[in-house]
Amino acid sequence: MLLVFGLTAVFRTVSEGTFHCPRCGGDRAYRRRAGRRWFSVFFVPTVPLWRLGQAVECRTCRARLPVAALRAPTAQQMAEALAAGMRAAAALVLRSGDPADAAARARAVATVTGYGEPDYDADAVDTDLALRRTFLEQEVIQAGAHLAVEAKEWFLAQAVRIGLADGPLGEGERLALHGIADMLGMSRAYALGVIVTTEGAAR
């Protein structure tokens, strides 16, 4: 009787979802796969042996990647974090000046809408103004973690324009803007340059 035996690797899907595939360069569906080595008889796995660990498989390019690939944010997650960060920055700037000023509030609405919140309105401004400062600051920090240097500069400039909507920047508004810059990871000198340049362009 001929007995054929050996070792076989068997993988099973433990979860599925969407991730940013570094090989494809975009948001793709994935399968998270767990592997195990089996002792097989006649090519049929019969005895489980050692675990082989887990990997992420892109459903588009079929690349197998470390599970750490799931930590990278998707484009949708980045867009949501950026919009939430701008909402928070707008609220911080408005709080530091005159939160009731119509021009400043209108500028805040226009800015946040431009960052991907089409339903943002005056009621949403009031909602954000009532949020805890620590929560707003965390939203700005999370947005900054996804931004390149140039994007951080543009983000801060937009916040400056909100502050300028009701007139020249006051001391409180300047402090708030420097605080936002710090949350974005910008140096004080760099932030000052962006603020002064934006002020000059608005004159």
Side-chain angles (χ1 to χ4, degrees), residues 50-118:
W50 59 88
R51 298 182 186 278
L52 299 175
Q54 296 188 10
V56 174
E57 180 184 283
C58 176
R59 302 296 294 267
T60 300
C61 68
R62 301 299 179 186
R64 283 196 173 180
L65 306 161
V67 175
L70 297 179
R71 296 176 190 161
T74 64
Q76 181 178 353
Q77 290 170 334
M78 289 178 65
E80 290 172 352
L82 189 55
M86 181 49 72
R87 284 184 65 157
L92 289 169
V93 173
L94 289 174
R95 276 184 180 181
S96 65
D98 181 3
D101 184 85
R105 291 169 66 91
R107 182 72 197 197
V109 169
T111 301
V112 175
T113 299
Y115 268 78
E117 287 273 0

Side-chain angles (χ1 to χ4, degrees), residues 6-189:
L7 298 177
T8 303
V10 177
F11 289 85
R12 63 185 178 87
T13 299
V14 295
S15 65
E16 295 181 292
T18 302
F19 82 132
H20 180 81
C21 178
R23 184 76 60 83
C24 294
D27 292 354
R28 300 289 186 265
Y30 75 85
R31 293 189 302 176
R32 184 169 179 170
R33 309 269 281 164
R36 189 160 194 167
R37 188 72 69 182
W38 288 68
F39 179 79
S40 61
V41 178
F42 290 113
F43 307 105
V44 177
T46 55
V47 180
L49 300 175
W50 59 88
R51 298 182 186 278
L52 299 175
Q54 296 188 10
V56 174
E57 180 184 283
C58 176
R59 302 296 294 267
T60 300
C61 68
R62 301 299 179 186
R64 283 196 173 180
L65 306 161
V67 175
L70 297 179
R71 296 176 190 161
T74 64
Q76 181 178 353
Q77 290 170 334
M78 289 178 65
E80 290 172 352
L82 189 55
M86 181 49 72
R87 284 184 65 157
L92 289 169
V93 173
L94 289 174
R95 276 184 180 181
S96 65
D98 181 3
D101 184 85
R105 291 169 66 91
R107 182 72 197 197
V109 169
T111 301
V112 175
T113 299
Y115 268 78
E117 287 273 0
D119 297 326
Y120 192 74
D121 55 16
D123 290 337
V125 172
D126 291 331
T127 298
D128 290 349
L129 287 171
L131 294 172
R132 296 192 311 275
R133 174 175 291 275
T134 53
F135 174 82
L136 296 174
E137 291 173 346
Q138 191 59 41
E139 292 288 280
V140 176
I141 291 171
Q142 290 179 2
H146 301 308
L147 295 176
V149 174
E150 296 81 4
K152 291 179 181 180
E153 180 178 326
W154 180 254
F155 186 103
L156 179 60
Q158 294 302 312
V160 174
R161 292 184 180 102
I162 293 172
L164 288 169
D166 62 353
L169 296 177
E171 186 59 31
E173 290 170 320
R174 291 185 187 280
L175 289 174
L177 291 167
H178 276 288
I180 289 169
D182 184 59
M183 294 171 219
L184 294 173
M186 301 171 67
S187 69
R188 185 169 184 81

